[in-house]
Amino acid sequence: MIGAPQIEEIGGHLAVRTGADPPPAWDLRIDAGESGWDADPARLRHAKHQALMRAYQARYMLLPDDDVGGSILKRLHRHYDPVEMARLEGLRAGLEAELIAPMVEAAKQASAGRDLAAYATALLPELRERPEDAFTAWLRTNPNREHHYRSFLIQSSADLLAEASASALGVVGEFGAPQSALFRILIDEFGYGAHGRKHSVLYRAVMRDFGLADTYNAYWPFFDTAALELHNTIHHLFQNPRNFFLQVGFLLFAETAYQHSTRDHARYLREFHPDVDARYFAEHAHIDLHHTRMVIDEVALPLVATYGEEVGAEIVAGAELTRDAFARAGAHMLAVSQAFDAAAAAGLAIYAPPDLAALGRAITPTSGLEEPAARIQVGGLGLVLGGAAFAAFPAGALGRIAGVET
């Protein structure tokens, strides 16, 4: 198991590598090293997920949105320093084994012997016929829905501002006709070469219309542990070639589930935020119908026909792992929103957008009692007034000190 000293050490290296006043795309910092930070197991787990996220982000080609001042080449070379990247990569397997592997193993055990064709036949109607997404259904009767939706956009941006970049890592190589089908799905995600239609660009438009920064990685200080766990689970699949058949399972579940969830979000936005650019959700609700059939007919079933039934069970395991990961993240986000509403109703919270210019140190509900008079920014929701109020939030929530009550 990776211990607190190793996380604190890598945090120091990442801070030096980041340098002063970094552009968001090259900000590698994690929340480790403050006095007493490792006394809270929830903070330590959060920092471990942050370190794993940084290891995965290191595989991306990232450039800042504009001039960084000074030499762009020097900054680029420092960000992608091979020695420092290897230092972080050296922790990756241990972090994956602790944080992600138990969930993968549980999904594999639950899916042993499952027949893929029967599973896919049942999955499609099941997902298409389920009721409205719990979060958007809850928002319909909530007068503070704009703040809650802003928080949803921030937590989801961990992956969606670089959408499909993880799955691109699973396409390179040579493995026959299924590779070409996966590539066709991938180029849809990237707008078929038209930058304005790229899905991450469409997501940026939604964020801008809610008054948020749209730069990749800008909101990393507000990602809670559940958002990081979802991000890291997806990347664990696609950044490890041994997980190829699990990757196909992810795509099977995700492309099918997105048909329903993105339709719910598109309808919600049209009804309650009609001036918002909702193309991101409308595009997915349409195109993922085709992607589901492609994954089943051109990737999953041909792979089983070629390599046998054990491959089918592995694909089912990937789908069920994805189901569970999405469910945990969604339930957690709704629970945090409900906890904030309860605090606000009691006069212990104020709705407000996050201020990226005033970032304090991170705390969790279990460490909140140490800050009885703190004003605590919780994601995109607002300020919780006092550590005791924040202590009532669900495990995995993250706050940042944003001042002191007077």
Side-chain angles (χ1 to χ4, degrees):
M1 180 178 291
I2 303 297
Q6 293 165 284
I7 296 299
E8 184 168 349
E9 180 183 14
I10 199 63
H13 283 280
L14 290 171
V16 171
R17 188 169 145 206
T18 294
D21 192 28
W26 289 347
D27 190 344
L28 292 163
R29 293 171 292 170
I30 64 174
D31 290 299
E34 302 97 342
S35 176
W37 78 279
D38 55 347
D40 176 13
R43 285 189 68 191
L44 176 57
R45 184 173 180 83
H46 183 79
K48 288 180 178 182
H49 269 294
Q50 287 180 319
L52 185 55
M53 176 184 72
R54 297 311 191 198
Y56 291 140
Q57 287 178 333
R59 298 287 306 280
Y60 284 0
M61 180 61 242
L62 299 170
L63 289 173
D65 288 347
D66 50 28
D67 185 9
V68 298
S71 170
I72 184 69
L73 289 179
K74 287 182 180 179
R75 294 293 292 267
L76 179 74
H77 291 172
R78 183 172 70 191
H79 182 74
Y80 291 109
D81 181 294
V83 174
E84 291 300 321
M85 290 173 68
R87 189 191 306 274
L88 177 59
E89 182 70 10
L91 294 180
R92 190 181 117 184
L95 291 170
E96 289 178 327
E98 177 183 348
L99 300 173
I100 311 298
M103 296 182 291
V104 176
E105 185 56 33
K108 288 184 176 183
Q109 290 183 10
S111 302
R114 301 278 304 264
D115 177 75
L116 174 63
Y119 177 84
T121 298
L123 181 68
L124 269 63
E126 174 203 342
L127 293 182
R128 290 170 179 169
E129 295 168 11
R130 65 185 180 181
E132 181 180 4
D133 178 83
F135 182 66
T136 56
W138 179 74
L139 288 183
R140 290 180 176 280
T141 59
N142 194 307
N144 300 298
R145 61 179 67 88
E146 181 175 346
H147 302 284
H148 294 291
Y149 205 81
R150 185 182 295 119
S151 185
F152 159 78
L153 291 171
I154 287 173
Q155 298 303 325
S156 301
S157 73
D159 186 61
L160 298 186
L161 284 179
E163 183 167 333
S165 293
S167 55
L169 298 172
V171 171
V172 294
E174 175 51 49
F175 49 91
Q179 181 186 33
S180 298
L182 290 175
F183 187 73
R184 294 206 317 278
I185 294 173
L186 185 68
I187 61 177
D188 280 342
E189 304 288 347
F190 279 85
Y192 222 84
H195 186 67
R197 296 172 57 188
K198 185 171 178 251
H199 289 182
S200 61
V201 172
L202 298 179
Y203 194 78
R204 293 174 80 152
V206 188
M207 295 190 73
R208 287 195 302 271
D209 283 351
F210 274 87
L212 295 169
D214 66 348
T215 304
Y216 176 74
N217 205 40
Y219 286 104
W220 75 262
F222 296 107
F223 298 156
D224 63 21
T225 307
L228 292 176
E229 182 184 270
L230 177 59
H231 172 278
N232 289 342
T233 299
I234 295 170
H235 281 258
H236 172 73
L237 296 182
F238 285 96
Q239 297 209 21
N240 289 282
R242 67 188 299 181
N243 293 331
F244 174 70
F245 299 112
L246 294 172
Q247 297 169 20
V248 175
F250 167 86
L251 292 171
L252 170 60
F253 185 88
E255 298 291 351
T256 308
Y258 285 168
Q259 297 171 27
H260 190 289
S261 62
T262 54
R263 182 195 64 193
D264 290 343
H265 279 266
R267 289 174 175 174
Y268 165 79
L269 290 173
R270 282 198 302 268
E271 183 174 351
F272 293 99
H273 307 282
D275 296 329
V276 165
D277 186 339
R279 289 176 299 159
Y280 174 84
F281 298 102
E283 171 69 7
H284 277 84
H286 161 70
I287 202 167
D288 287 347
L289 293 167
H290 307 291
H291 287 177
T292 293
R293 292 274 27 125
M294 290 169 66
V295 172
I296 295 172
D297 297 338
E298 300 184 50
V299 182
L301 293 179
L303 288 171
V304 174
T306 301
Y307 299 110
E309 292 300 328
E310 67 171 351
V311 164
E314 186 87 343
I315 292 172
V316 173
E320 288 300 293
L321 173 69
T322 305
R323 182 201 297 271
D324 291 344
F326 282 175
R328 281 194 304 273
H332 173 81
M333 185 182 61
L334 180 55
V336 169
S337 282
Q338 292 171 333
F340 195 94
D341 271 6
L348 298 173
I350 303 168
Y351 298 98
D355 183 359
L356 288 169
L359 297 178
R361 64 180 177 84
I363 65 170
T364 70
T366 47
S367 61
L369 289 173
E370 301 168 11
E371 304 289 346
R375 295 166 63 89
I376 303 162
Q377 179 74 37
V378 179
L381 293 168
L383 296 164
V384 174
L385 308 179
F390 190 49
F393 276 61
L398 185 83
R400 288 200 172 267
I401 304 296
V404 177
E405 285 289 284
T406 58

